[in-house]
Amino acid sequence: MNEGAVSVQQAIRKGSRAVSLPLWLGLPISVCLCIVLMKLDFSFRYLWLIPIGMVLSLIFSSWAGARWRLWAYEHVADIHQLQRSAELAGLLRMQSYNKLSIFLSGKQRARLKELEQRFNEPAVFYDDPHIPAETIIKVSGRMTANGRSQFILNDKGITYQPDGLVPWNNIYNDRIAIIGYKSRSYRTAGETSGGYGVLFRFETNNERNEIPLASLNIDIWVLDLLLYTYRGRYNKQHE
């Protein structure tokens, strides 16, 4: 398999299965095994199987994630977007593109260092034919400003009410923004962390839009990848 043979979307979905599956299965398998053994030979010592199973599933998930990262760096064309999508999907830590893993062998670490040089190359857009020509994103719960209940993304731009279609050349700073909040502590009279929020942000000639990701029926990394793809298609058509 050559470089670029795998799309960012395919890589992220494969990584999600490789990393998440052991975590999902670790607890139920260890609990079931504990119950079976306690029925055969009742003893509270079998309860240790639950935390042990969780630790083992975490280790295996980290091991699988390290190997997935090596594979993805080698086979996905746009390594810059891959890294961003993987971070938003929770598969990689933020700014971890040059961090090595203890779960790789010496030969694998050397190969990973070689592949990291790809981050020094300029980003080049690669289209994913599996991404549809148009995506409708619905707003759930409370409406956004101006009563908007949905956004339509395609290679022409973003369509929403009341503006209609806004072409990509009139859209600026479209991105997923992670915003930290501060709150005042009555105990110390100072500021403390008040958590964070994730917003879909974009600006037009007329306004600035901020939509909470929690109100949209789409995963954070998928929306970011759609913005990358549709704008990239627009730019290719207008070169």
Side-chain angles (χ1 to χ4, degrees):
M1 188 178 294
N2 299 321
E3 178 186 308
V6 178
S7 70
V8 170
Q9 181 175 212
Q10 290 172 322
I12 297 300
R13 296 199 185 283
K14 178 175 179 176
S16 296
R17 292 192 298 269
V19 174
S20 301
L21 193 58
L23 296 177
W24 291 341
L25 296 178
L27 180 59
I29 288 177
S30 58
V31 169
C32 290
L33 182 59
C34 177
I35 292 174
V36 170
L37 291 175
M38 290 183 74
K39 284 182 175 294
L40 296 175
D41 177 26
F42 184 83
S43 174
F44 286 112
R45 70 176 182 272
Y46 292 126
L47 292 175
W48 281 103
L49 290 173
I50 297 176
I52 290 173
M54 295 176 65
V55 170
L56 290 177
S57 64
L58 180 61
I59 293 173
F60 184 80
S61 176
S62 300
W63 176 87
R67 278 153 180 76
W68 167 82
R69 178 186 172 202
L70 183 65
W71 169 85
Y73 278 11
E74 186 157 18
H75 296 301
V76 173
D78 190 343
I79 196 172
H80 301 275
Q81 182 60 35
L82 167 72
Q83 181 72 24
R84 177 172 175 79
S85 294
E87 290 176 1
L88 292 175
L91 295 175
L92 296 177
R93 298 191 305 274
M94 292 292 178
Q95 301 297 315
S96 61
Y97 65 92
N98 59 353
K99 302 295 190 299
L100 294 177
S101 172
I102 61 173
F103 295 97
L104 295 177
S105 66
K107 184 177 180 180
Q108 289 170 325
R109 289 188 180 192
R111 178 56 179 158
L112 185 61
K113 292 297 291 184
E114 292 177 6
L115 292 170
E116 286 171 3
Q117 298 306 310
R118 296 185 60 201
F119 285 102
N120 298 324
E121 302 170 1
V124 179
F125 172 71
Y126 288 90
D127 197 358
D128 179 358
H130 294 98
I131 290 180
E134 181 175 277
T135 300
I136 299 175
I137 302 174
K138 294 187 179 297
V139 182
S140 60
R142 56 192 179 90
M143 298 288 222
T144 61
N146 301 320
R148 295 166 191 154
S149 60
Q150 70 178 27
F151 295 83
I152 302 175
L153 274 61
N154 55 35
D155 59 4
K156 295 180 177 61
I158 302 177
T159 301
Y160 59 94
Q161 298 300 326
D163 298 62
L165 173 65
V166 182
W168 287 112
N169 63 329
N170 290 334
I171 297 173
Y172 315 98
N173 299 320
D174 46 300
R175 66 198 184 279
I176 305 301
I178 302 176
I179 307 299
Y181 297 103
K182 297 289 185 180
S183 61
R184 183 163 296 278
S185 171
Y186 292 102
R187 184 173 61 85
T188 62
E191 289 188 339
T192 61
S193 173
Y196 69 93
V198 184
L199 304 174
F200 169 32
R201 275 184 173 175
F202 64 95
E203 300 173 31
T204 69
N205 295 329
N206 302 321
E207 61 185 346
R208 178 179 180 177
N209 294 272
E210 292 188 345
I211 305 97
L213 255 294
S215 67
L216 303 179
N217 65 331
I218 193 169
D219 291 335
I220 176 175
W221 72 268
V222 175
L223 175 57
D224 186 77
L225 184 60
L226 291 176
L227 295 174
Y228 161 85
T229 301
Y230 290 131
R231 181 178 284 277
R233 290 176 181 176
Y234 177 88
N235 292 339
K236 291 284 286 186
Q237 293 170 7
H238 293 81
E239 286 180 347

